[in-house]
Amino acid sequence: MPRPIQALIDHSALENNLRVARRATSARIMAVIKAEGYGHGLLRVAEALADADGYALLDIRDALRLRDAGYRQAILLLEGYFDAEDMVLAAEHGVSCVIHSDWQIALLDACPKRGALDVWLKVNTGMNRLGFAPQQVAQAMERLRRHRAVRDITLMTHFANADEARGIAAPLALFNDVAGSYRAARSLSNSAALLRYPQAHGDWVRPGIMLYGASPFAETSAQQLGLKPVMTLSSRIIAVQELRAGDEVGYGSLFRAEHSMRIGIVACGYADGYPRHAPTGTPLLVDGQRTRTLGRVSMDMLFADLSALPQAGVGSSVVLWGEGMPVEEVAHAAGTISYELTCALTARVPVVTR
Ligand SMILES: *Cc1c(COP(=O)(O)O)cnc(C)c1O
């Protein structure tokens, strides 16, 4: 028998979550499948999201994997190209490119074909990560419009606080001000802005996390948003220890029993992608019942509190996150976000699809 850990990827949940996005907007949907579809598998996710109007990712090689698999939708490279060779490949295969810097415009001169490339001009509206400052946009726009390699231009930005109380008012006003004078398609919204700010939908929305069934908001659950978890990371209990008061658990002896108790050893550790920094008290399901982790997560195992689960033992099922155990809750307990957990799933975890 193989080690009992597995990640179940639920296609119908992806389809459901795309429908939730559809219902929320009339804009076209660029499904964000960077980082191997947030750890769910690039082609697996692309297939379940085949109704999307386009796919957004980072690496031209991943874009070519999609083209090779027969996908004809729009594909957008969210960081654009990194050198002239990638730019030529993008032009050859009809892959759109974000243009965020002058050096990328300069590379366009190496494009062998006229009108070969659709570009998304990125405006920096305050995040100060990628993009042209508002006062640089007119000049960049001019260079792109005049360039023989460029076919279509879309204007885009990305919000720093769409999921936060601070919101998007200031960057949205800045973007609208800059974009107002052009007849170009617009794209602004990630999952949080798509769900919360219809006034920022523009022509293309760019949902990522919501498609995988996690809420982008701290105060609203995925279930409240109608989203279903796509990845369920599960395993089993492979050993049980009976502790007496004063007994300690795991590396660093971080947990110490105050009274006698039973604990289960779960076949899942940080080498599977479970966060090592998840502290005692991180929630998980054993036999469908909520309980907590204890002590330090090790490479291949972690500890579950079985005090309140007298029927649980060797062979009991464990859900680390997914169905019945929202990944956001686990992430919150571990001081991170759901994105990091699903992305961190490692190659040794067998994936099953449903
Ligand atoms: C990752 C990313 C998205 C998707 O964000 P979510 O919060 O996962 O919806 C959208 N736009 C850009 C530019 C991104 O980098």
Side-chain angles (χ1 to χ4, degrees):
M1 198 175 98
R3 188 161 167 262
I5 191 166
Q6 70 167 36
L8 173 70
I9 307 295
D10 184 349
H11 273 221
S12 69
L14 278 161
E15 290 164 2
N16 170 79
N17 302 336
L18 180 59
R19 284 194 297 274
V20 172
R22 279 269 183 240
R23 278 200 294 276
T25 187
S26 53
R28 281 182 283 176
I29 295 180
M30 185 68 84
V32 179
I33 58 171
K34 60 192 179 190
E36 284 292 315
Y38 289 40
H40 297 69
L42 185 79
L43 293 175
R44 208 174 280 132
V45 163
E47 186 190 346
L49 298 176
D51 278 343
D53 303 290
Y55 299 110
L57 38 71
L58 298 182
D59 195 313
I60 184 67
R61 271 125 215 111
D62 287 335
L64 299 187
R65 281 164 73 197
L66 292 179
R67 288 286 184 247
D68 284 345
Y71 292 97
R72 303 264 61 95
Q73 287 97 325
I75 301 179
L76 175 67
L77 301 183
L78 286 167
E79 295 177 350
Y81 40 83
F82 305 97
D83 59 19
E85 189 188 336
D86 284 8
M87 184 267 298
V88 171
L89 277 174
E92 265 172 22
H93 292 89
V95 173
S96 310
C97 294
V98 166
I99 301 271
H100 57 75
S101 294
D102 278 319
W103 66 261
Q104 291 179 312
I105 302 183
L107 283 184
L108 284 171
D109 294 348
C111 188
K113 272 177 44 197
R114 292 188 74 81
L117 200 65
D118 290 339
V119 298
W120 290 43
L121 176 57
K122 188 155 191 178
V123 184
N124 173 12
T125 50
M127 186 159 179
N128 288 312
R129 194 172 62 176
L130 293 181
F132 292 88
Q135 65 276 15
Q136 299 170 329
V137 170
Q139 201 202 5
M141 196 70 175
E142 244 344 271
R143 288 179 74 193
L144 290 173
R145 279 175 147 180
R146 281 204 310 262
H147 204 288
R148 58 174 179 78
V150 174
R151 186 168 56 185
D152 193 56
I153 306 175
T154 298
L155 282 164
M156 75 175 292
T157 192
H158 189 59
F159 298 121
N161 295 293
D163 56 331
E164 306 274 341
R166 173 123 158 236
I168 62 161
L172 177 61
L174 204 53
F175 182 80
N176 286 340
D177 196 40
V178 170
S181 44
Y182 303 107
R183 274 186 48 242
R186 301 177 189 192
S187 177
L188 308 84
S189 292
N190 60 0
S191 299
L194 162 56
L195 291 166
R196 191 181 258 173
Y197 300 111
Q199 69 271 34
H201 285 184
D203 301 284
W204 284 95
V205 290
R206 307 186 307 268
I209 195 68
M210 69 177 289
L211 299 177
Y212 306 99
S215 170
F217 308 115
E219 68 282 8
T220 312
S221 71
Q223 197 175 10
Q224 287 171 308
L225 296 167
L227 301 171
K228 295 191 175 143
V230 175
M231 179 192 293
T232 296
L233 178 64
S234 66
S235 189
R236 292 194 182 274
I237 289 180
I238 58 169
V240 169
Q241 301 288 351
E242 309 276 351
L243 305 185
R244 290 159 305 170
D247 284 351
E248 295 164 340
V249 167
Y251 288 120
S253 303
L254 290 197
F255 179 79
R256 191 164 199 272
E258 277 171 14
H259 39 72
S260 59
M261 65 188 291
R262 289 170 74 239
I263 64 170
I265 315 306
V266 181
C268 176
Y270 63 80
D272 301 300
Y274 195 90
R276 182 175 176 274
H277 46 276
T280 290
T282 302
L284 78 173
L285 301 182
V286 175
D287 282 341
Q289 310 260 55
R290 265 182 98 96
T291 180
R292 57 173 187 154
T293 65
L294 300 173
R296 186 173 275 161
V297 173
S298 30
M299 183 184 284
D300 311 312
M301 284 168 273
L302 57 80
F303 303 93
D305 186 351
L306 303 183
S307 305
L309 304 170
Q311 80 299 342
V314 171
S316 286
S317 70
V318 176
V319 172
L320 287 316
W321 61 68
E323 272 175 79
M325 177 46 62
V327 64
E328 303 92 306
E329 273 190 56
V330 179
H332 181 74
T336 183
I337 55 175
S338 58
Y339 303 64
E340 191 179 10
L341 295 194
T342 63
C343 284
L345 189 80
T346 62
R348 83 176 190 185
V349 178
V351 175
V352 228
T353 53
R354 182 173 71 197

